[in-house]
């Protein structure tokens, strides 16, 4: 099996840890990993492209191939996140034999390495699509910004009809960019930008976390549900840690009530996060999460670096403004990071919630937050039981992963901050993956779901990618620590 194709500078230890992750083997001894050398952005991006290519995402199967009743049912969805896992299971239970995916899946993946002050020091962004089946590295400048991609808005039907090409530009003025890419829909990872916007209001003194917000939608949607009343802080907790759509709708409506949505979108532009846009949501109920909501993996990684905290200047925005972690107050950053660290759905780039299962493969070796772990070691989040004792994996965990996942039928997403646990190789990086590989796409070897257990919602190839990235980061840190 060939792991690397883009050069000869990577040492054997990095190839070894990557091969172990991609093949599902146990990680190599720590002393072997420490022979790796420090990466630069070019090497990191090359590694990422090679790892993604080796995983052969084009081998997934489609439970709703074009023309099928399942595809027609998905196309008629009025709210992107309105379906529950039970809804999807019922929809796909009557599917005919899964068909191979019709073309190379859409993937947008970034790894952003941070120094001890939280400042970005190197990055790698790789895009895959029918136009770039072997992956293409996105060039970035010293501010971790690119002008070399024509970013397009996701189009559900257009991905099939137009060979993965979008038709609506996300960032103006990029018509002549050499790379053309349609951004996958971010699914529930959009809750990152919603909560960021709410914390901006808190920092301005316009609202307080302990304030009670009466959510009174003037139009009821299947996504958001009916009226509710809770504190702003409680809505935020539910939005992030258990991915509550109802709580998130309340927060979106709160932003609309305060006239803060346009200002939030302008803030992202001012920070140089040009692809992040919270657009077209419904002021009446906070719903209508749809394709005009856009996020690239690179900009999302940079946003998470700010949430993580940066001492000094993180980068300079296009207008010349220095960007620092002070875009949120220390208290807001601490709260946001804590909520992400207590996020309960550890089942995409990490799979610790399914500890010990033969499927899916292990991902980022994170520790599960204790709030979700029952006396028998099992994890249940918002009534969804994962059915495994996670205590053995928690005992062997290498890192914390403060992250947010998201999925719909044709979207699978995960974005978070990875930090080593005490005594482990010192990882400190952000990883973000946006794909069109949601619940609609499965691996050929996926077993049937046990009754009463939350179904596997992503291809295990994404977990293998997460583990490969983490082992690469551990190996790279080992060399930096010695050098």
């Amino acid at each position: 099996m060939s792991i690397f194709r883009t050069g000869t500078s990577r040492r054997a230890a990095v190839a070894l840890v990557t091969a172990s992750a991609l093949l599902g083997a146990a990680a190599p001894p720590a002393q072997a990993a420490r022979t790796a050398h420090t990466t630069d952005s070019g090497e990191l991006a090359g590694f990422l492209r090679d790892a993604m290519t080796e995983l052969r995402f084009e081998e997934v199967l489609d439970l709703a191939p074009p023309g099928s009743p399942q595809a027609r049912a998905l196309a008629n969805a009025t709210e992107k996140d309105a379906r529950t896992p039970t809804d999807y299971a019922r929809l796909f239970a009557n599917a005919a034999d899964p068909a191979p995916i019709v073309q190379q899946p859409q993937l947008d993946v970034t790894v952003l390495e941070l120094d001890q002050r939280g400042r970005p020091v190197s990055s790698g962004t790789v895009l895959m699509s029918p136009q770039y089946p072997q992956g293409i590295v996105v060039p970035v400048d010293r501010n971790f910004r690119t002008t070399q991609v024509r970013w397009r808005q996701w189009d559900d039907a257009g991905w099939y009809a137009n060979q993965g090409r979008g038709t609506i530009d996300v960032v103006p003025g990029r018509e002549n960019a050499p790379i053309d890419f349609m951004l996958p829909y971010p699914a529930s990872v959009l809750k990152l930008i919603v909560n960021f916007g709410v914390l901006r209001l808190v920092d301005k003194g316009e609202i307080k976390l302990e304030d009670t917000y009466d959510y009174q939608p003037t139009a009821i949607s299947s996504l958001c549900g009916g009226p509710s009343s809770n504190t702003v802080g409680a809505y935020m907790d539910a939005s992030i840690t258990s991915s509550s759509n109802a709580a998130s709708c309340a927060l979106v409506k709160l932003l609309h009530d305060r006239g803060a949505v346009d200002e939030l979108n302008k803030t992202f532009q001012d920070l140089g996060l040009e692809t992040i846009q919270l657009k077209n949501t419904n002021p009446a109920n906070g719903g209508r999460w749809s394709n005009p909501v856009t996020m690239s993996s690179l900009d999302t990684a940079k946003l998470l670096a700010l949430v993580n905290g940066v001492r000094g200047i993180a980068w300079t925005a296009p207008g010349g403004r220095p960007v620092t972690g002070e875009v949120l107050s220390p208290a807001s950053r601490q709260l946001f990071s804590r909520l992400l660290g207590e996020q309960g759905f550890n089942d995409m780039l990490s799979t610790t919630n399914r500890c010990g299962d033969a499927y899916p493969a292990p991902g980022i070796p994170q520790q599960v937050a204790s709030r979700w772990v029952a006396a028998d070691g099992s994890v249940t989040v918002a009534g969804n039981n994962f059915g495994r004792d996670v205590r053995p994996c928690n005992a062997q965990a290498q890192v914390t992963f403060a992250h947010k996942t998201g999925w719909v039928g044709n979207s699978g997403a995960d974005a978070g901050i990875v930090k080593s646990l005490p005594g482990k190789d010192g990882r400190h990086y952000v990883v973000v993956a946006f794909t069109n590989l949601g619940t609609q796409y499965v691996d050929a070897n996926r077993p049937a779901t046990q009754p009463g257990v939350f179904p596997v919602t992503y291809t295990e190839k994404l977990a293998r990618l997460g583990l490969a990235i983490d082992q690469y980061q551990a190996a790279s840190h080992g060399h930096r620590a010695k050098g």
Side-chain angles (χ1 to χ4, degrees):
M1 177 180 179
S2 170
I3 298 298
F4 298 114
R5 297 193 180 95
T6 61
T8 59
S9 65
R10 303 168 183 83
R11 295 191 180 183
V14 175
L16 176 61
V17 296
T18 306
S20 298
L22 298 181
L23 293 172
Q31 61 267 26
R34 290 193 183 100
T35 64
H37 63 282
T38 303
T39 65
D40 59 22
S41 289
E43 184 173 328
L44 174 57
F47 152 76
L48 185 59
R49 181 177 62 184
D50 292 333
M52 291 168 63
T53 301
E54 291 294 341
L55 282 164
R56 300 185 65 84
F57 285 96
E58 72 276 7
E59 292 179 348
V60 298
L61 303 179
D62 189 351
L63 293 175
S68 69
Q70 290 74 28
R72 289 193 291 273
L74 290 172
N76 292 331
T78 57
E79 293 276 15
K80 281 283 189 176
D81 280 343
R83 295 177 185 271
T84 67
T86 301
D87 293 333
Y88 279 114
R90 187 180 301 113
L91 173 66
F92 294 137
N94 298 320
D97 290 337
I101 193 169
V102 297
Q103 57 194 4
Q104 176 68 37
Q106 209 89 357
L107 291 99
D108 172 15
V109 183
T110 290
V111 178
L112 184 65
E113 296 177 327
L114 308 175
D115 67 12
Q116 292 182 344
R117 296 185 176 185
R119 297 175 302 187
V121 292
S122 60
S123 72
T125 296
V126 175
L127 308 176
M128 277 186 167
S129 71
Q131 280 66 57
Y132 313 110
Q134 298 300 312
I136 187 167
V137 172
V138 173
V140 298
D141 62 21
R142 60 189 294 180
N143 293 304
F144 300 95
R145 176 176 180 260
T146 185
T147 59
Q148 301 303 298
V149 183
R150 185 177 187 181
W151 302 109
R152 310 285 197 124
Q153 180 179 300
W154 180 257
D155 180 349
D156 298 65
W159 187 76
Y160 291 101
N162 201 27
Q163 294 184 315
R165 295 183 178 91
T167 58
I168 299 175
D169 286 304
V170 173
V171 180
R174 300 286 174 81
E175 291 80 6
N176 296 320
I179 302 172
D180 196 325
F181 186 77
M182 185 165 66
L183 291 165
Y185 176 68
S188 284
V189 176
L190 67 84
K191 294 165 187 174
L192 290 179
I193 59 179
V194 173
N195 283 270
F196 178 88
V198 172
L199 286 173
R200 291 273 294 174
L201 291 179
V202 171
D203 287 346
K204 292 177 182 178
E206 296 186 23
I207 58 174
K208 297 178 181 178
L209 294 171
E210 59 269 25
D211 287 347
T212 296
Y213 178 62
D214 291 321
Y215 172 66
Q216 298 291 331
T218 57
I220 302 299
S221 79
S222 58
L223 174 72
C224 302
S228 63
S229 181
N230 214 329
T231 66
V232 173
Y235 279 130
M236 288 186 61
D237 185 289
S239 172
I240 294 293
T241 67
S242 61
S243 201
S244 167
N245 290 334
S248 302
C249 286
L251 295 177
V252 174
K253 189 174 187 305
L254 172 61
L255 291 173
H256 279 293
D257 290 352
R258 294 281 175 168
V261 174
D262 288 344
E263 182 183 359
L264 176 61
N265 286 327
K266 182 179 184 301
T267 296
F268 292 132
Q269 298 300 306
D270 292 343
L271 294 172
L273 309 178
E274 298 159 298
T275 64
I276 298 183
Q277 301 180 2
L278 184 67
K279 290 190 173 181
N280 202 45
T281 54
N282 190 347
N285 53 31
R288 198 170 62 209
W289 304 349
S290 54
N291 294 330
V293 180
T294 57
M295 305 171 73
S296 70
S297 69
L298 178 59
D299 284 347
T300 303
K302 292 168 70 176
L303 177 64
L304 284 170
L306 297 178
V307 171
N308 182 54
V310 180
R311 283 182 285 169
I313 297 173
W315 61 81
T316 301
R321 171 188 173 187
V323 176
T324 72
E326 298 308 311
V327 66
L328 288 178
S329 70
S332 287
R333 293 198 304 270
Q334 183 178 24
L335 172 63
F336 208 163
S337 296
R338 178 179 64 78
L339 293 178
L340 291 171
E342 294 182 1
Q343 194 271 147
F345 289 95
N346 308 301
D347 59 347
M348 184 177 145
L349 292 175
S350 64
T351 53
T352 316
N353 281 16
R354 305 184 191 277
C355 178
D357 263 354
Y359 180 94
I364 294 172
Q366 75 161 110
Q367 192 173 64
V368 177
S370 60
R371 69 183 283 180
W372 305 114
V373 183
D376 64 356
S378 64
V379 170
T380 301
V381 183
N384 300 296
N385 176 27
F386 285 85
R388 301 294 299 183
D389 184 349
V390 302
R391 289 173 295 183
C393 291
N394 266 3
Q396 298 173 16
Q398 298 281 312
V399 300
T400 61
F401 187 23
H403 67 129
K404 184 72 193 73
T405 59
W407 55 266
V408 294
N410 61 355
S411 174
D414 202 350
I417 304 156
V418 179
K419 296 180 181 179
S420 289
L421 288 166
K424 307 301 180 182
D425 281 326
R427 289 83 129 186
H428 193 195
Y429 66 94
V430 178
V431 58
V432 181
F434 291 125
T435 80
N436 72 320
L437 297 176
T439 58
Q440 181 176 335
Y441 302 99
V442 300
D443 299 309
N445 63 321
R446 188 177 81 169
T449 301
Q450 298 176 6
V453 173
F454 185 73
V456 174
T457 45
Y458 310 95
T459 167
E460 70 171 354
K461 294 177 185 294
L462 293 165
R464 294 191 189 279
L465 177 63
L467 181 58
I469 290 168
D470 187 71
Q471 291 184 343
Y472 183 84
Q473 289 297 312
S476 298
H477 166 81
H479 178 75
R480 288 195 298 270
K482 291 181 68 176

